[in-house]
């Protein structure tokens, strides 16, 4: 079972439908116990980092996700769900400092600049179709199986993940930023696969294949 985490934000139904169309047994749940028992986890994302993190902590979802990921369960974070993979984010920061994420990947999620290095202005939020370029050595990453570098995906966001060895693909707007990250069976994408037509459907299908392979390895 793939748990689609309901933290009172996100495109839950469209993500669930996309995963089911890809052959996955996807179920929306907010229950930490169900998340802790899931074979895989998808964290959708629409909303603000601080609010989402606070809700997830309150519902016990943060710890349930950390434990399942530590046990090897595949994970896919989408947009804000990708951001929440990181240690912290500046969105919604208060007197106590930056809100904390899952801490599965290192670094801080920050706001996308409104100008590039030459001072040219860009519209933020970044909304629309952009190409996704694979990082060096990542053409064979299983999340992008059968997808060519330079394929267009749909984006809508104002914040971006930090660079690091976890970066598997990038997109350029005002700056070049990681639009897909991975560590083992843990993945995050800045774009919305559920809104990205055939290319997005292929990413969800690849993730379901990753889930199935992990389940088969666990049984074997």
């Amino acid at each position: 079972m793939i748990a689609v985490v309901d933290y009172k934000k996100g495109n839950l139904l469209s993500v669930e439908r996309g995963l089911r169309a890809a052959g996955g047994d996807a179920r929306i749940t907010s229950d930490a116990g169900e998340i802790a028992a899931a074979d895989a986890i998808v964290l959708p994302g629409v909303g603000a980092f601080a609010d989402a993190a606070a809700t997830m902590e309150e519902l016990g979802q943060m710890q349930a996700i950390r434990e399942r990921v530590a046990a090897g369960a595949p994970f896919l974070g989408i947009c804000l769900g990708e951001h929440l993979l990181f240690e912290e984010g500046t969105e919604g920061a208060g007197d106590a400092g930056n809100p904390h994420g899952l801490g599965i990947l290192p670094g801080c999620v920050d706001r996308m600049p409104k100008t590039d290095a030459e001072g040219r202005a860009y519209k933020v939020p970044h909304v629309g179709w952009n190409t996704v370029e694979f990082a060096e050595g990542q053409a064979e990453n299983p999340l992008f199986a059968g997808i060519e570098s330079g394929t267009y995906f749909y984006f809508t966001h104002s914040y971006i993940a930090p660079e690091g060895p976890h970066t598997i693909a990038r997109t350029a707007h005002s700056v070049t930023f990681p639009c897909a990250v991975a560590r083992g069976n843990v993945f995050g994408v800045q774009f919305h696969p559920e809104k990205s037509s055939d290319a997005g459907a292929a990413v969800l299908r690849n993730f379901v294949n990753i889930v199935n392979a992990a389940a088969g390895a666990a049984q074997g």
Side-chain angles (χ1 to χ4, degrees), residues 188-202:
V189 293
Q190 183 65 73
F191 55 82
H192 285 270
E194 77 279 10
K195 297 181 179 180
S196 295
S197 191
D198 292 346

Side-chain angles (χ1 to χ4, degrees), residues 145-185:
I147 300 170
E148 293 183 0
S149 187
T151 296
Y152 281 85
F153 290 84
Y154 184 80
F155 292 79
T156 175
H157 63 113
S158 299
Y159 287 77
I160 53 177
E163 272 286 354
H166 48 258
T167 300
I168 62 171
R170 299 181 179 91
T171 291
H173 188 57
S174 60
V175 293
T176 298
F177 60 91
C179 66
V181 297
R183 192 187 71 187
N185 277 346

Side-chain angles (χ1 to χ4, degrees), residues 110-124:
D110 205 355
R111 188 169 183 85
M112 174 181 283
K114 293 185 176 181
T115 58
D116 65 14
E118 284 72 44
R120 291 179 294 234
Y122 283 75
K123 186 177 288 187
V124 177

Side-chain angles (χ1 to χ4, degrees), residues 34 88 91 104 113 115 129 192 210:
E34 291 185 355
E88 59 183 329
E91 186 179 20
I104 294 168
T115 58
W129 294 83
H192 285 270
I210 291 166

Side-chain angles (χ1 to χ4, degrees), residues 1-6 16 25-42 59-61 64-65 68 73:
M1 188 270 283
I2 302 173
V4 179
V5 180
D6 178 7
E16 182 189 47
D25 176 19
R27 306 176 198 174
I28 295 171
T29 181
S30 60
D31 183 78
E34 291 185 355
I35 294 167
D39 297 301
I41 298 167
V42 173
L59 295 175
Q61 296 171 349
I65 292 172
R68 285 305 292 138

Side-chain angles (χ1 to χ4, degrees), residues 65-83:
I65 292 172
R66 291 186 187 109
E67 289 175 1
R68 285 305 292 138
V69 166
F75 175 98
L76 175 63
I78 297 171
C79 197
L80 177 58
E82 178 212 33
H83 296 169

